[in-house]
Amino acid sequence: MADQNKRLDSNVSGNFYVDATCINCDTCRQLAPASFEEVGDFSAVTSQPTSEGSLHQAYQALLSCPVGSIGTERGEPVRMQEAMASFPLHLEEGVYYCGFNSEKSFGANSFFLEHPDGNWLIDSPRYLKHLVEAFERKGGLSHIFLTHKDDVAEAEKYAAHFGAKRIIHRADLEAAPGAEWIIEDVDSSQILPEFQIIPVPGHTAGSMALLYKNRFLFTGDHLWWDSKQQMLRAPSQQVWRKRVLLDSLQKLLDYRFEWVLAGHGDGIRLSAAAMQSQLQALIERRQPARMPS
Ligand code: SF4
């Protein structure tokens, strides 16, 4: 629950505000970019939402903030309920953004995937009655894909409730030692029709991407979209091995996909050809500088 006494001076005056407990995870800026911006080390409300659309997004951000740093001076219960009901948020073709990002994964995004042979969760949101019931209405969960050790959050609770199999790479197993399906491979594997696991070590030793339907690439913290710069990005800090990360980026050139859906950072949909160009440009930017001969 946000505290008006901790309201940051960087907020514009008005109903919505961010308080000093913000961990600068970016969730609000992704969900409601018209209202929230990064100011210094925190997010702030730089434009009060006034239209129906921007108000809805601001309440979605309030609900998804992992540490409850977003508050309002006066509550609007109906708008809050409408925002709550919008989660999980449908993106396309049975792929949803869960919302309710968890502090345990530093506010990482998680996704729900509706499939006739069993639904999937990709990384974990907070364990919340609203989401549990929403997943139940859609037929529960059969698999929980864990992109890497940092974004496991409350996967164990979802696995226990739904009898779902957690999938994690052996090299990141410390984060989910009881996982039901451990990936040992370094090569990609088609584990089920339409589901391909692509190990992408670099950020962590056990980072993996999940390619679904040759359209959706769930990347964890390996790759994301920077909407300000309009380009793909990969981590340059908190990297297990930089050379390995570059090899893992290169590996993705072998695949066709249109969506990048990341744990941290924006998601994006481009044409498959534009995505390839973006990826190629990222790899070129990340090549080590050559020594003058
Ligand atoms: S979602 Fe919450 S913690 Fe994350 S940047 Fe916004 S206000 Fe800060």
Side-chain angles (χ1 to χ4, degrees), residues 18 22-28 43 65-67 69-70:
V18 174
C22 168
I23 60 171
N24 202 12
C25 72
D26 194 42
T27 300
C28 57
S43 277
C65 174
V67 287
S69 301
I70 302 172

Side-chain angles (χ1 to χ4, degrees), residues 211 213-216 232 252-260 268-280:
L211 179 60
K213 289 187 172 178
N214 290 324
R215 288 197 68 214
F216 301 90
L232 286 174
L252 293 178
L253 287 171
D254 295 340
Y255 300 91
R256 179 193 182 282
F257 53 93
E258 297 170 10
W259 282 86
V260 163
I268 185 68
R269 183 193 172 188
L270 300 171
S271 70
M275 193 65 88
Q276 277 272 318
S277 303
Q278 283 284 346
L279 186 56
Q280 188 71 58

Side-chain angles (χ1 to χ4, degrees), residues 188-203:
S188 305
S189 50
Q190 184 92 41
I191 56 163
L192 289 169
E194 302 186 315
F195 292 87
Q196 186 150 19
I197 288 179
I198 309 171
V200 286
H203 168 55

